[in-house]
Amino acid sequence: MAGIYVHVPFCKSKCTYCDFASYPKEVGKAELYFACLYKEMKARAAQYPDMIFDTVYFGGGTPSFVDEKYITGAMRLIREKFYLSDDAEITIEINPGTLTEKKLAAYKSAGINRFSLGLQSADDAMLARLNRIHTLQDYYAAAKLLEGENFSADALIGLFDQTEKDVENTLSAIIESGASHVSVYALKAEEGTPIFSNYLNGDLPDEDAVADLYEFAVKYLEKREYYRYEVSNFAKRGRESRHNLNYWRRGEYLGFGVAASSHVANRRFTNTEIIDDYVKCIISGHYAEISSDEISGDEITAEYVMLALRTAEGIDAHDFKARFGVDFTERYADVLRRHGRYLDITDDRIRIKPEYLYVQNSIIIEFM
């Protein structure tokens, strides 16, 4: 089974921390962009006719910002051109300030059955400072529309002067709204984003303070039966994101649109982030790839380890040996002698101990 990712690069306003391929001033190009995206889909479907997909994910940007006809058109084409399993998980990202009853009805009619709401903070002043286009009440209104649906919500930690009480207020709002999945992301101020200057000026919490906020969030959510299945993701049992699990298990996927990446048969390829370049390539009958790499040997092993150790379940020792022909403990004996204290190791599984999962990057790099 594999996944499909569709990138919608349009949004009403760009958040101060956003480093994704999203373009508020380009929405006038939506008609042309989606025509090209549909064309790219048809070409890839012909290139990979035997792939079976069980997840679809619309990300951005803000997929819920554009007219719903573009989303339903993409879903119609996916069902027509690709093998999609009957119980496929189909997710769309939603900014709470853009959801309407009409859009939701169209999404559900198209088969979308999972929704990801970007709350980020329950503090309206903080939302305004981050250039979010919604308020807490907008979030509650969107969650009310989604009552009874399978939906997730995002929270950011590491914001300006953020306290444990602020994090509690955000997580409490998410839980009260009925979300069955919570993503808790630590803000990373990327160079080139407006918030990067705040980082340089020391206006954001330091790493130790963010780590404390993260530990608070983990305990708060676990007490309310949201279990951590990946470093930033928590869910009620059975409500994990199947699409993201496919990434962490090094599964295959096709990505469509600007900046979208794909991984098929140990080849990884990524599209240009520039809308005009993407459109020119597709119209001229070419893919819009700016990189294409064959992955082999130790690189495959390293990717597998890196992704699996991000998750709470870690590495299946039997699966590792079946894939690579060697025991994990033999392959990484030297690393385990030096850093084994950070890991839980049994005959069946290798995983980072829960108390070290937040700093998993510094552990995982030893295996690279």
mmCIF file of all heavy atoms in Angstrom, residues 1-4 53-57 84-91 113-114 150 181 229 233 235 238-253:
data_model
loop_
_atom_site.group_PDB
_atom_site.id
_atom_site.type_symbol
_atom_site.label_atom_id
_atom_site.label_comp_id
_atom_site.label_asym_id
_atom_site.label_seq_id
_atom_site.Cartn_x
_atom_site.Cartn_y
_atom_site.Cartn_z
ATOM 1 N N MET A 1 0.836 -1.193 0.000
ATOM 2 C CA MET A 1 0.000 0.000 0.000
ATOM 3 C C MET A 1 0.880 1.256 0.000
ATOM 4 O O MET A 1 1.960 1.263 0.569
ATOM 5 C CB MET A 1 -0.916 0.017 1.222
ATOM 6 C CG MET A 1 -1.945 -1.104 1.239
ATOM 7 S SD MET A 1 -3.182 -0.886 -0.039
ATOM 8 C CE MET A 1 -4.317 -2.206 0.400
ATOM 9 N N ALA A 2 0.367 2.306 -0.627
ATOM 10 C CA ALA A 2 1.136 3.542 -0.747
ATOM 11 C C ALA A 2 0.218 4.738 -0.482
ATOM 12 O O ALA A 2 -0.994 4.587 -0.292
ATOM 13 C CB ALA A 2 1.749 3.640 -2.141
ATOM 14 N N GLY A 3 0.802 5.928 -0.458
ATOM 15 C CA GLY A 3 0.049 7.145 -0.197
ATOM 16 C C GLY A 3 0.147 8.128 -1.350
ATOM 17 O O GLY A 3 1.069 8.076 -2.169
ATOM 18 N N ILE A 4 -0.832 9.021 -1.418
ATOM 19 C CA ILE A 4 -0.841 10.120 -2.384
ATOM 20 C C ILE A 4 -0.861 11.428 -1.611
ATOM 21 O O ILE A 4 -1.662 11.600 -0.677
ATOM 22 C CB ILE A 4 -2.075 10.047 -3.306
ATOM 23 C CG1 ILE A 4 -1.960 8.872 -4.275
ATOM 24 C CG2 ILE A 4 -2.262 11.356 -4.083
ATOM 25 C CD1 ILE A 4 -3.208 8.638 -5.121
ATOM 26 N N PHE A 53 -3.125 2.394 -3.466
ATOM 27 C CA PHE A 53 -3.031 3.471 -2.483
ATOM 28 C C PHE A 53 -4.112 3.318 -1.415
ATOM 29 O O PHE A 53 -5.258 3.015 -1.728
ATOM 30 C CB PHE A 53 -3.168 4.822 -3.184
ATOM 31 C CG PHE A 53 -2.103 5.071 -4.212
ATOM 32 C CD1 PHE A 53 -2.288 4.667 -5.526
ATOM 33 C CD2 PHE A 53 -0.913 5.679 -3.872
ATOM 34 C CE1 PHE A 53 -1.298 4.864 -6.481
ATOM 35 C CE2 PHE A 53 0.089 5.890 -4.823
ATOM 36 C CZ PHE A 53 -0.104 5.481 -6.119
ATOM 37 N N ASP A 54 -3.718 3.573 -0.158
ATOM 38 C CA ASP A 54 -4.732 3.528 0.892
ATOM 39 C C ASP A 54 -4.767 4.804 1.729
ATOM 40 O O ASP A 54 -5.473 4.868 2.732
ATOM 41 C CB ASP A 54 -4.575 2.294 1.778
ATOM 42 C CG ASP A 54 -3.385 2.370 2.712
ATOM 43 O OD1 ASP A 54 -2.457 3.152 2.441
ATOM 44 O OD2 ASP A 54 -3.396 1.639 3.716
ATOM 45 N N THR A 55 -4.007 5.843 1.311
ATOM 46 C CA THR A 55 -4.154 7.161 1.937
ATOM 47 C C THR A 55 -4.013 8.245 0.877
ATOM 48 O O THR A 55 -3.286 8.080 -0.112
ATOM 49 C CB THR A 55 -3.100 7.420 3.042
ATOM 50 O OG1 THR A 55 -1.796 7.523 2.460
ATOM 51 C CG2 THR A 55 -3.125 6.330 4.097
ATOM 52 N N VAL A 56 -4.721 9.341 1.112
ATOM 53 C CA VAL A 56 -4.594 10.561 0.308
ATOM 54 C C VAL A 56 -4.516 11.718 1.301
ATOM 55 O O VAL A 56 -5.235 11.729 2.306
ATOM 56 C CB VAL A 56 -5.800 10.770 -0.632
ATOM 57 C CG1 VAL A 56 -5.643 12.070 -1.425
ATOM 58 C CG2 VAL A 56 -5.969 9.584 -1.574
ATOM 59 N N TYR A 57 -3.647 12.684 1.018
ATOM 60 C CA TYR A 57 -3.477 13.812 1.935
ATOM 61 C C TYR A 57 -3.362 15.107 1.151
ATOM 62 O O TYR A 57 -2.483 15.246 0.298
ATOM 63 C CB TYR A 57 -2.225 13.613 2.787
ATOM 64 C CG TYR A 57 -2.142 14.514 3.997
ATOM 65 C CD1 TYR A 57 -2.448 14.033 5.264
ATOM 66 C CD2 TYR A 57 -1.748 15.844 3.877
ATOM 67 C CE1 TYR A 57 -2.373 14.854 6.385
ATOM 68 C CE2 TYR A 57 -1.677 16.674 4.977
ATOM 69 C CZ TYR A 57 -1.990 16.175 6.233
ATOM 70 O OH TYR A 57 -1.927 16.992 7.336
ATOM 71 N N LEU A 84 -7.463 2.946 -5.501
ATOM 72 C CA LEU A 84 -7.635 3.459 -4.141
ATOM 73 C C LEU A 84 -8.436 2.436 -3.340
ATOM 74 O O LEU A 84 -9.512 2.011 -3.749
ATOM 75 C CB LEU A 84 -8.377 4.801 -4.187
ATOM 76 C CG LEU A 84 -8.350 5.673 -2.943
ATOM 77 C CD1 LEU A 84 -6.923 6.080 -2.588
ATOM 78 C CD2 LEU A 84 -9.208 6.923 -3.152
ATOM 79 N N SER A 85 -7.887 2.025 -2.204
ATOM 80 C CA SER A 85 -8.559 0.999 -1.402
ATOM 81 C C SER A 85 -9.906 1.508 -0.893
ATOM 82 O O SER A 85 -10.117 2.712 -0.725
ATOM 83 C CB SER A 85 -7.676 0.568 -0.228
ATOM 84 O OG SER A 85 -7.445 1.652 0.646
ATOM 85 N N ASP A 86 -10.812 0.561 -0.632
ATOM 86 C CA ASP A 86 -12.168 0.929 -0.212
ATOM 87 C C ASP A 86 -12.190 1.671 1.110
ATOM 88 O O ASP A 86 -13.053 2.530 1.335
ATOM 89 C CB ASP A 86 -13.048 -0.328 -0.092
ATOM 90 C CG ASP A 86 -13.326 -0.977 -1.444
ATOM 91 O OD1 ASP A 86 -13.215 -0.271 -2.468
ATOM 92 O OD2 ASP A 86 -13.637 -2.176 -1.463
ATOM 93 N N ASP A 87 -11.249 1.360 2.008
ATOM 94 C CA ASP A 87 -11.225 2.010 3.326
ATOM 95 C C ASP A 87 -10.119 3.056 3.415
ATOM 96 O O ASP A 87 -9.575 3.319 4.490
ATOM 97 C CB ASP A 87 -11.046 0.965 4.422
ATOM 98 C CG ASP A 87 -9.683 0.280 4.363
ATOM 99 O OD1 ASP A 87 -9.050 0.325 3.286
ATOM 100 O OD2 ASP A 87 -9.246 -0.278 5.389
ATOM 101 N N ALA A 88 -9.789 3.671 2.298
ATOM 102 C CA ALA A 88 -8.693 4.647 2.270
ATOM 103 C C ALA A 88 -8.929 5.788 3.252
ATOM 104 O O ALA A 88 -10.054 6.266 3.420
ATOM 105 C CB ALA A 88 -8.531 5.209 0.860
ATOM 106 N N GLU A 89 -7.856 6.206 3.911
ATOM 107 C CA GLU A 89 -7.875 7.394 4.767
ATOM 108 C C GLU A 89 -7.589 8.604 3.881
ATOM 109 O O GLU A 89 -6.544 8.671 3.236
ATOM 110 C CB GLU A 89 -6.811 7.277 5.855
ATOM 111 C CG GLU A 89 -6.667 8.527 6.713
ATOM 112 C CD GLU A 89 -5.385 8.495 7.525
ATOM 113 O OE1 GLU A 89 -5.417 7.959 8.646
ATOM 114 O OE2 GLU A 89 -4.345 8.993 7.012
ATOM 115 N N ILE A 90 -8.511 9.568 3.841
ATOM 116 C CA ILE A 90 -8.373 10.729 2.958
ATOM 117 C C ILE A 90 -8.483 11.992 3.815
ATOM 118 O O ILE A 90 -9.530 12.284 4.390
ATOM 119 C CB ILE A 90 -9.446 10.729 1.856
ATOM 120 C CG1 ILE A 90 -9.407 9.398 1.087
ATOM 121 C CG2 ILE A 90 -9.228 11.899 0.899
ATOM 122 C CD1 ILE A 90 -10.549 9.210 0.110
ATOM 123 N N THR A 91 -7.371 12.727 3.915
ATOM 124 C CA THR A 91 -7.248 13.853 4.841
ATOM 125 C C THR A 91 -7.118 15.172 4.094
ATOM 126 O O THR A 91 -6.475 15.245 3.050
ATOM 127 C CB THR A 91 -5.993 13.667 5.724
ATOM 128 O OG1 THR A 91 -6.044 12.406 6.376
ATOM 129 C CG2 THR A 91 -5.885 14.767 6.767
ATOM 130 N N ASN A 113 -12.489 11.826 4.603
ATOM 131 C CA ASN A 113 -12.997 11.294 5.862
ATOM 132 C C ASN A 113 -12.111 11.599 7.068
ATOM 133 O O ASN A 113 -12.324 11.068 8.164
ATOM 134 C CB ASN A 113 -13.199 9.781 5.747
ATOM 135 C CG ASN A 113 -11.955 9.050 5.253
ATOM 136 O OD1 ASN A 113 -10.829 9.539 5.409
ATOM 137 N ND2 ASN A 113 -12.159 7.888 4.648
ATOM 138 N N ARG A 114 -11.116 12.466 6.875
ATOM 139 C CA ARG A 114 -10.268 12.885 7.986
ATOM 140 C C ARG A 114 -9.898 14.345 7.765
ATOM 141 O O ARG A 114 -9.595 14.758 6.633
ATOM 142 C CB ARG A 114 -9.020 12.013 8.086
ATOM 143 C CG ARG A 114 -8.162 12.297 9.316
ATOM 144 C CD ARG A 114 -6.989 11.311 9.431
ATOM 145 N NE ARG A 114 -6.208 11.567 10.619
ATOM 146 C CZ ARG A 114 -5.202 12.454 10.674
ATOM 147 N NH1 ARG A 114 -4.862 13.150 9.584
ATOM 148 N NH2 ARG A 114 -4.538 12.630 11.793
ATOM 149 N N ASN A 150 -13.843 12.369 12.069
ATOM 150 C CA ASN A 150 -12.489 12.034 12.505
ATOM 151 C C ASN A 150 -11.597 13.237 12.206
ATOM 152 O O ASN A 150 -11.279 13.507 11.051
ATOM 153 C CB ASN A 150 -11.999 10.798 11.757
ATOM 154 C CG ASN A 150 -10.584 10.403 12.133
ATOM 155 O OD1 ASN A 150 -10.058 10.819 13.162
ATOM 156 N ND2 ASN A 150 -9.959 9.597 11.280
ATOM 157 N N HIS A 181 -7.036 13.267 17.590
ATOM 158 C CA HIS A 181 -5.607 13.235 17.271
ATOM 159 C C HIS A 181 -5.054 14.626 17.510
ATOM 160 O O HIS A 181 -5.707 15.631 17.193
ATOM 161 C CB HIS A 181 -5.429 12.834 15.799
ATOM 162 C CG HIS A 181 -4.003 12.668 15.352
ATOM 163 N ND1 HIS A 181 -3.159 13.737 15.119
ATOM 164 C CD2 HIS A 181 -3.272 11.551 15.077
ATOM 165 C CE1 HIS A 181 -1.978 13.282 14.719
ATOM 166 N NE2 HIS A 181 -2.025 11.959 14.689
ATOM 167 N N TYR A 229 2.533 8.275 19.617
ATOM 168 C CA TYR A 229 2.998 7.210 18.728
ATOM 169 C C TYR A 229 4.131 7.671 17.817
ATOM 170 O O TYR A 229 4.753 6.868 17.129
ATOM 171 C CB TYR A 229 1.842 6.636 17.897
ATOM 172 C CG TYR A 229 1.243 7.561 16.855
ATOM 173 C CD1 TYR A 229 1.607 7.455 15.515
ATOM 174 C CD2 TYR A 229 0.299 8.521 17.200
ATOM 175 C CE1 TYR A 229 1.061 8.277 14.551
ATOM 176 C CE2 TYR A 229 -0.258 9.348 16.241
ATOM 177 C CZ TYR A 229 0.121 9.226 14.921
ATOM 178 O OH TYR A 229 -0.422 10.057 13.970
ATOM 179 N N ASN A 233 3.293 13.429 17.632
ATOM 180 C CA ASN A 233 1.916 13.050 17.342
ATOM 181 C C ASN A 233 1.316 12.140 18.400
ATOM 182 O O ASN A 233 1.941 11.157 18.823
ATOM 183 C CB ASN A 233 1.856 12.378 15.965
ATOM 184 C CG ASN A 233 2.051 13.384 14.852
ATOM 185 O OD1 ASN A 233 1.107 14.036 14.416
ATOM 186 N ND2 ASN A 233 3.289 13.542 14.397
ATOM 187 N N ALA A 235 -2.557 10.313 19.749
ATOM 188 C CA ALA A 235 -3.869 9.932 19.230
ATOM 189 C C ALA A 235 -4.600 9.026 20.203
ATOM 190 O O ALA A 235 -3.996 8.336 21.026
ATOM 191 C CB ALA A 235 -3.719 9.211 17.892
ATOM 192 N N GLY A 238 -6.358 3.798 17.585
ATOM 193 C CA GLY A 238 -7.057 3.600 16.319
ATOM 194 C C GLY A 238 -7.228 4.852 15.497
ATOM 195 O O GLY A 238 -7.722 4.793 14.365
ATOM 196 N N ARG A 239 -6.798 6.017 16.025
ATOM 197 C CA ARG A 239 -6.953 7.280 15.300
ATOM 198 C C ARG A 239 -5.612 7.849 14.836
ATOM 199 O O ARG A 239 -5.507 9.031 14.510
ATOM 200 C CB ARG A 239 -7.671 8.309 16.179
ATOM 201 C CG ARG A 239 -9.133 7.972 16.449
ATOM 202 C CD ARG A 239 -9.929 7.878 15.157
ATOM 203 N NE ARG A 239 -11.367 7.913 15.405
ATOM 204 C CZ ARG A 239 -12.291 7.845 14.457
ATOM 205 N NH1 ARG A 239 -11.920 7.717 13.193
ATOM 206 N NH2 ARG A 239 -13.568 7.891 14.756
ATOM 207 N N GLU A 240 -4.596 7.009 14.772
ATOM 208 C CA GLU A 240 -3.301 7.458 14.262
ATOM 209 C C GLU A 240 -3.438 7.872 12.792
ATOM 210 O O GLU A 240 -4.327 7.395 12.085
ATOM 211 C CB GLU A 240 -2.277 6.325 14.366
ATOM 212 C CG GLU A 240 -2.093 5.774 15.757
ATOM 213 C CD GLU A 240 -3.068 4.664 16.113
ATOM 214 O OE1 GLU A 240 -4.013 4.408 15.321
ATOM 215 O OE2 GLU A 240 -2.911 4.062 17.189
ATOM 216 N N SER A 241 -2.564 8.741 12.335
ATOM 217 C CA SER A 241 -2.557 9.134 10.923
ATOM 218 C C SER A 241 -1.894 8.038 10.102
ATOM 219 O O SER A 241 -0.679 7.843 10.163
ATOM 220 C CB SER A 241 -1.788 10.454 10.736
ATOM 221 O OG SER A 241 -1.530 10.691 9.365
ATOM 222 N N ARG A 242 -2.669 7.315 9.341
ATOM 223 C CA ARG A 242 -2.118 6.252 8.506
ATOM 224 C C ARG A 242 -1.194 6.827 7.439
ATOM 225 O O ARG A 242 -0.185 6.206 7.056
ATOM 226 C CB ARG A 242 -3.256 5.467 7.857
ATOM 227 C CG ARG A 242 -3.957 4.525 8.816
ATOM 228 C CD ARG A 242 -5.348 4.113 8.351
ATOM 229 N NE ARG A 242 -5.361 3.623 6.980
ATOM 230 C CZ ARG A 242 -6.490 3.399 6.294
ATOM 231 N NH1 ARG A 242 -7.664 3.631 6.858
ATOM 232 N NH2 ARG A 242 -6.440 2.935 5.062
ATOM 233 N N HIS A 243 -1.518 8.009 6.944
ATOM 234 C CA HIS A 243 -0.684 8.617 5.906
ATOM 235 C C HIS A 243 0.720 8.895 6.443
ATOM 236 O O HIS A 243 1.719 8.564 5.798
ATOM 237 C CB HIS A 243 -1.326 9.915 5.412
ATOM 238 C CG HIS A 243 -0.613 10.533 4.261
ATOM 239 N ND1 HIS A 243 -0.799 10.129 2.956
ATOM 240 C CD2 HIS A 243 0.316 11.519 4.202
ATOM 241 C CE1 HIS A 243 -0.032 10.839 2.153
ATOM 242 N NE2 HIS A 243 0.666 11.689 2.883
ATOM 243 N N ASN A 244 0.808 9.492 7.624
ATOM 244 C CA ASN A 244 2.119 9.795 8.183
ATOM 245 C C ASN A 244 2.845 8.539 8.637
ATOM 246 O O ASN A 244 4.072 8.453 8.536
ATOM 247 C CB ASN A 244 1.975 10.782 9.340
ATOM 248 C CG ASN A 244 1.664 12.185 8.853
ATOM 249 O OD1 ASN A 244 1.943 12.514 7.702
ATOM 250 N ND2 ASN A 244 1.079 12.999 9.709
ATOM 251 N N LEU A 245 2.110 7.555 9.127
ATOM 252 C CA LEU A 245 2.756 6.290 9.492
ATOM 253 C C LEU A 245 3.444 5.668 8.278
ATOM 254 O O LEU A 245 4.506 5.050 8.406
ATOM 255 C CB LEU A 245 1.725 5.319 10.075
ATOM 256 C CG LEU A 245 1.356 5.531 11.543
ATOM 257 C CD1 LEU A 245 0.166 4.650 11.922
ATOM 258 C CD2 LEU A 245 2.540 5.243 12.460
ATOM 259 N N ASN A 246 2.846 5.825 7.118
ATOM 260 C CA ASN A 246 3.470 5.308 5.901
ATOM 261 C C ASN A 246 4.822 5.978 5.652
ATOM 262 O O ASN A 246 5.781 5.322 5.247
ATOM 263 C CB ASN A 246 2.547 5.515 4.700
ATOM 264 C CG ASN A 246 3.131 4.961 3.410
ATOM 265 O OD1 ASN A 246 3.491 3.796 3.326
ATOM 266 N ND2 ASN A 246 3.248 5.815 2.397
ATOM 267 N N TYR A 247 4.928 7.278 5.895
ATOM 268 C CA TYR A 247 6.216 7.968 5.763
ATOM 269 C C TYR A 247 7.233 7.381 6.739
ATOM 270 O O TYR A 247 8.371 7.076 6.377
ATOM 271 C CB TYR A 247 6.067 9.455 6.060
ATOM 272 C CG TYR A 247 5.301 10.264 5.041
ATOM 273 C CD1 TYR A 247 4.516 11.340 5.443
ATOM 274 C CD2 TYR A 247 5.387 10.001 3.683
ATOM 275 C CE1 TYR A 247 3.828 12.107 4.527
ATOM 276 C CE2 TYR A 247 4.704 10.753 2.752
ATOM 277 C CZ TYR A 247 3.917 11.816 3.183
ATOM 278 O OH TYR A 247 3.238 12.573 2.260
ATOM 279 N N TRP A 248 6.829 7.252 8.007
ATOM 280 C CA TRP A 248 7.768 6.821 9.052
ATOM 281 C C TRP A 248 8.165 5.360 8.895
ATOM 282 O O TRP A 248 9.189 4.944 9.438
ATOM 283 C CB TRP A 248 7.160 7.087 10.431
ATOM 284 C CG TRP A 248 6.881 8.543 10.656
ATOM 285 C CD1 TRP A 248 7.661 9.597 10.269
ATOM 286 C CD2 TRP A 248 5.739 9.109 11.274
ATOM 287 N NE1 TRP A 248 7.068 10.786 10.620
ATOM 288 C CE2 TRP A 248 5.892 10.525 11.235
ATOM 289 C CE3 TRP A 248 4.591 8.585 11.870
ATOM 290 C CZ2 TRP A 248 4.949 11.385 11.773
ATOM 291 C CZ3 TRP A 248 3.655 9.456 12.400
ATOM 292 C CH2 TRP A 248 3.832 10.840 12.350
ATOM 293 N N ARG A 249 7.356 4.599 8.165
ATOM 294 C CA ARG A 249 7.714 3.204 7.891
ATOM 295 C C ARG A 249 8.434 3.052 6.552
ATOM 296 O O ARG A 249 8.606 1.951 6.051
ATOM 297 C CB ARG A 249 6.444 2.342 7.927
ATOM 298 C CG ARG A 249 5.873 2.213 9.337
ATOM 299 C CD ARG A 249 4.489 1.618 9.345
ATOM 300 N NE ARG A 249 4.006 1.454 10.725
ATOM 301 C CZ ARG A 249 2.736 1.229 11.050
ATOM 302 N NH1 ARG A 249 1.817 1.137 10.090
ATOM 303 N NH2 ARG A 249 2.384 1.096 12.311
ATOM 304 N N ARG A 250 8.813 4.172 6.009
ATOM 305 C CA ARG A 250 9.540 4.216 4.736
ATOM 306 C C ARG A 250 8.738 3.563 3.605
ATOM 307 O O ARG A 250 9.256 2.835 2.773
ATOM 308 C CB ARG A 250 10.924 3.574 4.856
ATOM 309 C CG ARG A 250 11.903 4.093 3.815
ATOM 310 C CD ARG A 250 13.300 3.529 3.967
ATOM 311 N NE ARG A 250 14.095 3.986 2.822
ATOM 312 C CZ ARG A 250 14.093 3.353 1.634
ATOM 313 N NH1 ARG A 250 13.388 2.258 1.464
ATOM 314 N NH2 ARG A 250 14.805 3.837 0.631
ATOM 315 N N GLY A 251 7.441 3.878 3.603
ATOM 316 C CA GLY A 251 6.580 3.367 2.547
ATOM 317 C C GLY A 251 6.710 4.178 1.277
ATOM 318 O O GLY A 251 7.445 5.167 1.212
ATOM 319 N N GLU A 252 5.990 3.776 0.252
ATOM 320 C CA GLU A 252 6.018 4.481 -1.025
ATOM 321 C C GLU A 252 4.888 5.506 -1.082
ATOM 322 O O GLU A 252 3.840 5.330 -0.458
ATOM 323 C CB GLU A 252 5.890 3.487 -2.184
ATOM 324 C CG GLU A 252 7.086 2.558 -2.290
ATOM 325 C CD GLU A 252 7.045 1.688 -3.536
ATOM 326 O OE1 GLU A 252 5.930 1.206 -3.884
ATOM 327 O OE2 GLU A 252 8.108 1.483 -4.157
ATOM 328 N N TYR A 253 5.116 6.569 -1.849
ATOM 329 C CA TYR A 253 4.093 7.593 -2.007
ATOM 330 C C TYR A 253 4.381 8.411 -3.256
ATOM 331 O O TYR A 253 5.532 8.513 -3.712
ATOM 332 C CB TYR A 253 4.026 8.514 -0.778
ATOM 333 C CG TYR A 253 5.358 9.056 -0.317
ATOM 334 C CD1 TYR A 253 5.876 10.254 -0.803
ATOM 335 C CD2 TYR A 253 6.113 8.359 0.625
ATOM 336 C CE1 TYR A 253 7.099 10.741 -0.378
ATOM 337 C CE2 TYR A 253 7.340 8.832 1.059
ATOM 338 C CZ TYR A 253 7.827 10.033 0.559
ATOM 339 O OH TYR A 253 9.043 10.511 0.981
#
